[in-house]
């Protein structure tokens, strides 16, 4: 044992002497070149490429590092046992990140190819002079990719990381609700906190799934819109009676896509030019909303004379007022393409009042009818407000609700009010709701019978008038025939 320790001490002494001799004889530049040559020699036999992504590149922040850090933090959330927690200035959510205290190694799969990431944190060497203070720690990522896969996935993988990081950042930030200021052409914003989601939206599940699928196709359709030469935008028209959830639908769309909302009040916009400027000040990944479009400016069905009159108004006033043609250019003209990934949503209670030019595809691509509360919508409201499913409700009560819900033509807003008022007593809520639905269904039935009777009276009166006219006509024909017979016999009158 003593001889072993003596041998190890001798080897360590020789190593220390050799290292001192090496650093004394060879200057730092030569040593660096030598080590680089050795590293290049060994890496030439490696089957991997290594890419370093540092936090600070020169004196500037490397945005790619932030994107990679944000993306890998989301990937590592479910597998790492040590993460950092932060909350951004404009966010109400907590964000998980990679810990900066040790070396972290992660693997990821992109297009079926496995890549490896290593996050390292080292102490930065003190600097004598720097016009910009640098962090005490030097942080960076090292990406390891197989040489045979590098030409196919490197650029696409980094673009994928940037897109994912932007999406995560947008979801972590609070969304904003904008409105145009009175007497000006600027936007004012407040945090958007509306809790409506597609899960709580009282609507037919099949129609709801269709809308969600259409929204996903739009968000993921950048390549399609570019390839087909179309502006990356989409229009939705929500129509139906008041209280059927049109505003809740808009909020659910914004929460589903993590988009900001621009609520445009047309009555505060004075000219077509001002309307165009408002559009140019909206951001991408946003929903531009005009509620009750039929009450904002005259948009009724026009004939040729109306179209000519509108053109004359535009020419004479030089865009001194907001016209239908200005609104059409706002939604589907050249200026509507000044931003990307935007959704236009119009709402109305009377779709028949709108001009067909506004309703065509390309302006309002999808028409969504917000109907009265149906039985499928009622089940969603029961789960949302009372926390009960169909299995928790008495079968007989459920059957009676199903019989009268569609007949009552009660809006989801009215149904919600009954449930909210009695949310602490589920039995009372169901009984009261069933009673109200029955009353409304009976009123609708009596009204329908009355309308049917009035319609039958109108038809009977019309038949009587027709029969009377026929009798007069037939009597006149007989008189004429009688006169012709007498005349042929030589009788004078």
């Amino acid at each position: 044992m003593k001889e072993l320790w003596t041998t190890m001490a001798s080897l360590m002494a020789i190593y220390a002497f050799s290292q001192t001799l090496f650093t004394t004889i060879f200057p730092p530049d030569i040593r660096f070149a030598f080590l680089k040559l050795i590293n290049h020699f060994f890496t030439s036999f490696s089957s991997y490429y290594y890419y370093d992504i540092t936090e600070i590149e020169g004196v500037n922040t490397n945005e790619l590092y932030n994107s990679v850090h944000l993306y890998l933090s989301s990937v590592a959330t479910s597998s790492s046992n040590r993460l950092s927690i932060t909350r951004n200035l404009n966010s109400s959510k907590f964000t998980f990140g990679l810990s900066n205290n040790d070396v972290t190694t992660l693997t990821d799969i992109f297009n079926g190819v496995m890549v490896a990431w290593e996050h390292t944190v080292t102490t930065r060497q003190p600097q004598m002079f720097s016009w910009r203070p640098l962090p005490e720690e030097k942080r960076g990522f090292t990406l390891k990719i197989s040489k045979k896969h590098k030409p196919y996935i490197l650029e696409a993988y980094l673009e994928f990381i940037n897109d994912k990081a932007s999406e995560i950042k947008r979801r972590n930030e609070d969304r904003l609700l904008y409105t145009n200021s009175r007497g000006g052409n600027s936007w004012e914003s407040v945090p958007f906190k509306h809790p409506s989601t597609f899960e709580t939206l009282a609507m037919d599940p099949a129609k709801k799934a269709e809308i969600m699928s259409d929204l996903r196709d739009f968000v993921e359709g950048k390549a399609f819109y570019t390839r087909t030469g179309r502006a990356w935008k989409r229009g939705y028209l929500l129509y139906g009676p008041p209280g059927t959830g049109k505003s809740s639908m808009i909020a659910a769309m914004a929460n589903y896509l993590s988009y900001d909302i621009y609520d445009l009040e047309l009555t505060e916009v004075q000219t077509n030019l001002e309307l165009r400027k408002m559009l140019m000040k909206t951001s991408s990944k946003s929903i531009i909303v005009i509620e009750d479009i039929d009450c904002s400016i005259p948009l009724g069905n026009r004939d040729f004379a109306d179209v000519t009159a509108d053109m004359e108004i535009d020419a004479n006033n030089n865009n001194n007022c907001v016209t239908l043609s200005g609104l059409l250019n706002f939604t589907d003209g050249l200026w509507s393409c000044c931003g990307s990934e935007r959704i236009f949503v119009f709402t109305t209670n009377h779709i028949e009042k709108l001009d067909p030019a506004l309703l065509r595809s390309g302006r309002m691509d999808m028409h969504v009818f917000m109907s009265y509360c149906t039985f499928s919508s009622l089940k969603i409201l029961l789960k949302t407000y009372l926390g009960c499913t169909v299995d928790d409700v008495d079968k007989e009560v459920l059957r009676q609700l199903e019989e009268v819900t569609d007949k009552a033509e009660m809006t989801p807003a009215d149904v919600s009010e009954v449930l909210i008022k009695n949310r602490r007593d589920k039995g009372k809520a169901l009984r009261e709701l069933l009673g109200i639905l029955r009353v409304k269904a009976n009123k609708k039935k009596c009204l329908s019978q009355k309308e049917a009777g009035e319609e039958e009276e109108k038809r009977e009166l019309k038949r009587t008038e027709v029969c009377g006219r026929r009798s007069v006509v037939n009597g006149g024909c007989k008189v004429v025939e009688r006169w012709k017979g007498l005349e042929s016999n030589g009788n004078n009158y």
Side-chain angles (χ1 to χ4, degrees), residues 81-123:
N81 55 7
R82 186 169 186 173
L83 299 170
S84 64
I85 302 178
T86 58
R87 187 171 71 177
N88 296 330
L89 178 63
N90 296 323
S91 175
S92 59
K93 297 181 180 179
F94 293 100
T95 303
F96 293 91
L98 300 177
S99 176
N100 294 328
N101 295 328
D102 52 6
V103 177
T104 305
T105 302
L106 297 171
T107 58
D108 190 24
I109 297 177
F110 178 73
N111 290 345
V113 177
M114 179 176 290
V115 298
W117 289 93
E118 186 177 85
H119 186 231
T120 57
V121 181
T122 57
T123 303

Side-chain angles (χ1 to χ4, degrees), residues 280-295:
M280 294 173 62
K281 292 180 180 179
T282 60
S283 63
S284 299
K285 300 183 184 298
S286 61
I287 300 176
I288 302 172
V289 179
I290 302 180
E291 293 194 273
D292 297 324
I293 184 66
D294 55 297
C295 301

Side-chain angles (χ1 to χ4, degrees), residues 23 28 35 47 61 106 133 201 240 258 280 344 397 482:
T23 56
L35 294 175
S47 58
T61 302
L106 297 171
L201 190 65
S258 297
M280 294 173 62
F344 293 88
V397 174
R482 178 64 175 167

Side-chain angles (χ1 to χ4, degrees), residues 47-97:
S47 58
Y48 294 95
Y49 282 123
Y50 297 86
Y51 299 91
D52 293 329
I53 304 174
T54 57
E55 181 184 19
I56 305 295
E57 190 66 31
V59 294
N60 298 319
T61 302
N62 188 356
E63 291 299 328
L64 181 58
Y65 171 87
N66 295 331
S67 298
V68 172
H69 192 280
L70 195 58
Y71 168 71
L72 291 181
S73 298
S74 66
V75 175
T77 301
S78 58
S79 58
S80 298
N81 55 7
R82 186 169 186 173
L83 299 170
S84 64
I85 302 178
T86 58
R87 187 171 71 177
N88 296 330
L89 178 63
N90 296 323
S91 175
S92 59
K93 297 181 180 179
F94 293 100
T95 303
F96 293 91

